[in-house]
């Protein structure tokens, strides 16, 4: 199974640190306008959240895998709840690559696989080099075209 690029951890950790900082800001606002809260407690809470974010990010990266296996795309991910997903190529509607600003800054890209179905009808594979994302998009497209005559189940 293929791993994501290690730089994806920077994106994941950055998001979690922003969330921890917003929560600390809310606690500071409560301290300022509603009821006193010890600022040292807020700082300690922020540090705990950042440490938990680092641990979560590392574990998330270690678990995230994907591969093109036989007649489907197989993904394994999740820290607390492990999610194994198998997407038959015959269910693939179309495939996109995307590069958000923070991905471009780190030289990364994502592949989004849109599938037939109503619930969770798209799968994103983050943290790929742009060349690998393009290659994967083209390969998935070709495999979806090849499997058009097959049954989805």
């Amino acid at each position: 199974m293929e791993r994501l690029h290690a730089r994806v951890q920077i994106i994941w950790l950055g998001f979690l640190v922003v969330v921890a900082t917003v929560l600390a800001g809310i606690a500071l606002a409560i301290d300022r306008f509603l009821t006193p809260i010890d600022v040292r407690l807020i700082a300690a809470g922020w540090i705990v959240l950042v440490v938990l974010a680092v641990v979560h990010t590392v574990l998330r990266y270690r678990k995230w895998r994907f591969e093109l296996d036989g007649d489907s795309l197989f993904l394994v991910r999740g820290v607390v709840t492990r999610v194994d997903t198998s997407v038959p190529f015959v269910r693939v509607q179309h495939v996109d690559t995307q590069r958000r600003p923070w991905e471009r800054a780190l030289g990364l890209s994502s592949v989004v696989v849109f599938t037939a179905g109503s619930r969770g009808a798209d799968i994103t594979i983050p943290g790929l080099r742009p060349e690998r994302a393009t290659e994967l998009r083209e390969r998935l497209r070709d495999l979806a075209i090849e499997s058009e005559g097959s049954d989805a189940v």
Side-chain angles (χ1 to χ4, degrees):
M1 295 197 92
E2 188 172 340
R3 298 182 92 167
L4 305 178
H5 195 287
R7 281 183 285 202
V8 73
Q9 295 174 92
I10 296 169
I11 295 171
W12 293 341
L13 182 59
F15 173 77
L16 293 175
V17 168
V18 167
V19 169
T21 303
V22 167
L23 290 175
I26 291 169
L28 286 172
I30 290 171
D31 172 57
R32 170 98 171 134
F33 299 111
L34 294 177
T35 184
I37 301 173
D38 188 353
V39 175
R40 292 175 296 187
L41 182 62
I42 295 171
W46 183 84
I47 290 169
V48 167
L49 287 175
V50 169
V51 168
L52 289 173
V54 169
V55 170
H56 183 271
T57 298
V58 170
L59 292 175
R60 183 179 179 187
Y61 176 73
R62 287 184 180 175
K63 297 292 180 190
W64 226 114
R65 302 275 187 282
F66 71 95
E67 86 176 315
L68 302 177
D69 183 30
D71 62 348
S72 62
L73 168 64
F74 189 69
L75 301 104
V76 177
R77 61 204 184 281
V79 175
V80 177
T81 302
R82 183 177 167 147
V83 179
D84 295 349
T85 304
S86 179
V87 180
F89 298 135
V90 70
R91 304 288 292 171
V92 173
Q93 297 293 308
H94 69 279
V95 186
D96 292 341
T97 54
Q98 67 181 16
R99 296 189 73 201
R100 295 183 174 128
W102 48 88
E103 290 174 314
R104 285 193 307 266
L106 293 170
L108 297 175
S109 188
S110 296
V111 172
V112 183
V113 181
F114 295 89
T115 61
S118 58
R119 188 184 69 85
D122 63 316
I123 306 283
T124 302
I125 303 172
L128 301 171
R129 291 180 337 275
E131 308 81 40
R132 177 62 180 130
T134 300
E135 173 188 307
L136 183 60
R137 182 195 69 215
E138 296 302 315
R139 181 74 178 131
L140 282 167
R141 186 200 65 204
D142 293 345
L143 290 167
I145 290 169
E146 287 175 19
S147 66
E148 277 183 353
S150 304
D151 188 6
V153 193

